[in-house]
Amino acid sequence: MKKIKSICIIDDDPITVFGIKKMLSSFDLAEDIKTYVNGKEAIDEITLMIEQNTPVPEVIFLDINMPIMDGWQFLEKFLTLKVETKIRINIVTSSIDPYDRQQWERFKATTHHLLEFKNKPIRKSDILEITKAA
């Protein structure tokens, strides 16, 4: 399996972040794993990466419900950035609200990026599927 250069996890739940990082490490799937506790931290750093012409993460794990900037607000901003490569964005949530599924469908239909929707908890089989080449 091809190793992913960079993965980012945007989630304010330390247990979820720990679990995803542990599974990624056990499969040795990524060279670099960055974590952010809200969408604002992540969008600011990804915007800086683009300005500095450095590669953005190839895979993003994105929680929906976070303080400061939630997952949907992050996606609104991220999808306006000039990112030519196809990024695999995995919405990872405990939400059972039908609105969140509708939002995912709406975003999925308006972008060239790969958007997936997974409910927590994430399992090892999910990690392998999520990180496979786009």
Side-chain angles (χ1 to χ4, degrees):
M1 182 177 287
K2 187 183 124 199
K3 202 167 195 177
I4 297 165
K5 288 197 186 308
S6 178
I7 292 177
C8 87
I9 304 166
I10 309 167
D11 198 318
D12 62 326
D13 177 16
I15 294 169
T16 299
V17 171
F18 175 80
I20 292 172
K21 283 178 79 171
K22 184 131 178 93
M23 285 185 275
L24 288 168
S25 296
S26 73
F27 291 123
D28 196 26
L29 292 171
E31 292 176 19
D32 183 42
I33 302 169
K34 292 186 181 337
T35 61
Y36 307 94
V37 294
N38 64 63
K40 174 132 179 46
E41 276 186 10
I43 201 69
D44 289 349
E45 187 158 322
I46 291 170
T47 301
L48 190 61
M49 289 173 185
I50 292 167
E51 288 169 1
Q52 295 175 345
N53 204 25
T54 57
V56 299
E58 296 171 62
V59 176
I60 297 173
F61 289 86
L62 178 64
D63 186 24
I64 295 173
N65 299 311
M66 296 177 287
I68 301 171
M69 178 185 278
D70 69 22
W72 300 131
Q73 293 166 321
F74 169 84
L75 267 180
E76 286 281 352
K77 294 216 181 273
F78 181 82
L79 297 181
T80 66
L81 299 175
K82 301 249 185 293
V83 179
E84 302 298 321
T85 56
K86 189 182 284 191
I87 307 302
R88 187 174 202 97
I89 303 169
N90 305 283
I91 297 164
V92 180
T93 183
S94 55
S95 173
I96 57 169
D97 187 342
Y99 170 81
D100 289 327
R101 283 242 177 226
Q102 292 167 353
Q103 283 288 85
W104 167 62
E105 291 287 348
R106 182 177 70 84
F107 280 111
K108 192 174 163 184
T110 62
T111 184
H112 72 284
H113 299 296
L114 270 162
L115 263 69
E116 299 290 333
F117 192 97
K118 298 279 184 197
N119 284 100
K120 292 179 182 178
I122 294 296
R123 291 176 277 296
K124 284 188 174 188
S125 58
D126 295 325
I127 292 287
L128 289 173
E129 178 189 330
I130 284 168
T131 56
K132 70 182 177 220

